[in-house]
Amino acid sequence: DADVTQTPRNRITKTGKRIMLECSQTKGHDRMYWYRQDPGLGLRLIYYSFDVKDINKGEISDGYSVSRQAQAKFSLSLESAIPNQTALYFCATSEPTGTSGYEQYFGPGTRLTVT
Amino acid sequence: QKEVEQDPGPLSVPEGAIVSLNCTYSNSAFQYFMWYRQYSRKGPELLMYTYSSGNKEDGRFTAQVDKSSKYISLFIRDSQPSDSATYLCAMSLSGSARQLTFGSGTQLTVLP
């Protein structure tokens, strides 16, 4: 089984709808991240969480919110989806300390289309 | 101007060629440098990791960091069709945040 899983893998939704993307991990890592990937722009950080009670905004948090329900679960919500939120969304995890903390483990991604 | 610039390609080479992938960056405070590989319809995975300046070799892959020029490179020797993927450079400041700043990725195709 994959260490980092994301659901759904694909989603098409309409402008104005609320949508939640879910991420679960079995790596036992405290740190979790949400990124979006757009052609030509690479991966950009939306939110990150160091533990259940520590959530931080990333580079592009406007229009998004997150919930860390447990160490293993980190959800991303779009309260009112808009077309320019169409992108590939990735969840990632990492260890907190040492040089290994710079390695992030990514899920398979969720392709979101907002029409 | 983006903090990290990476030529998007696409780059197409014959099998066995030496491939050179590059990134430039503007923030001289970056200390940790990484290359991630992303296959189609998959999440990125760490390929190489380097701290500060210098070279690091792992099999057919060599990562170079030149902090004086704010330039990093990934070389792939004897390239194989299985190397066909998008390669993303990433870098980070020192400290506890462990936030990564990614380049936009270079799409590589190795032709058999």
Side-chain angles (χ1 to χ4, degrees):
Chain A
D1 288 341
D3 294 320
V4 184
T5 57
Q6 293 183 233
T7 55
R9 294 294 311 277
N10 291 281
R11 181 72 182 266
I12 300 174
T13 192
K14 294 181 184 283
T15 298
K17 294 291 187 181
R18 184 179 188 275
I19 184 169
M20 178 181 289
L21 309 182
E22 298 185 331
C23 176
S24 295
Q25 53 112 348
T26 58
K27 298 192 74 66
H29 291 165
D30 288 325
R31 298 190 171 199
M32 299 187 73
Y33 309 80
W34 275 106
Y35 291 90
R36 65 177 281 175
Q37 186 174 36
D38 300 274
L41 295 178
L43 285 158
R44 292 181 292 166
L45 183 63
I46 305 172
Y47 271 95
Y48 61 103
S49 171
F50 285 179
D51 63 37
V52 175
K53 296 181 180 179
D54 185 2
I55 292 178
N56 305 277
K57 292 182 177 181
E59 178 187 354
I60 53 163
S61 59
D62 287 349
Y64 301 94
S65 62
V66 291
S67 173
R68 184 81 183 266
Q69 300 94 327
Q71 188 211 33
K73 296 184 181 295
F74 192 34
S75 300
L76 176 72
S77 293
L78 286 68
E79 297 301 327
S80 180
I82 56 177
N84 77 0
Q85 291 177 314
T86 293
L88 191 54
Y89 289 84
F90 287 102
C91 174
T93 73
S94 73
E95 297 182 35
T97 59
T99 56
S100 59
Y102 293 95
E103 178 172 6
Q104 295 189 6
Y105 298 83
F106 286 81
T110 294
R111 186 169 296 279
L112 175 66
T113 303
V114 183
T115 61
Chain B
Q1 182 188 5
K2 294 181 187 176
E3 270 194 302
V4 180
E5 297 279 359
Q6 185 175 5
D7 186 339
L11 182 62
S12 184
V13 301
E15 184 175 354
I18 297 174
V19 176
S20 173
L21 305 169
N22 310 294
C23 288
T24 59
Y25 61 95
S26 57
N27 189 344
S28 58
F30 285 133
Q31 295 282 347
Y32 297 87
F33 303 91
M34 288 139 276
W35 286 94
Y36 280 78
R37 178 175 61 193
Q38 184 177 17
Y39 290 114
S40 180
R41 301 186 182 279
K42 301 284 187 182
E45 57 181 354
L46 183 67
L47 185 63
M48 298 282 288
Y49 163 88
T50 308
Y51 170 68
S52 195
S53 285
N55 293 358
K56 186 173 184 179
E57 187 173 323
D58 184 2
R60 296 184 294 109
F61 298 89
T62 299
Q64 285 186 352
V65 175
D66 181 350
K67 291 190 69 180
S68 63
S69 301
K70 300 192 187 71
Y71 189 88
I72 71 171
S73 300
L74 177 70
F75 297 95
I76 307 174
R77 291 185 300 280
D78 188 24
S79 57
Q80 302 295 310
S82 59
D83 295 327
S84 298
T86 296
Y87 290 80
L88 300 145
C89 63
M91 34 201 90
S92 181
L93 307 173
S94 61
S96 63
R98 304 289 197 271
Q99 289 188 53
L100 301 182
T101 301
F102 284 87
S104 56
T106 299
Q107 185 179 345
L108 171 68
T109 300
V110 181
L111 302 170

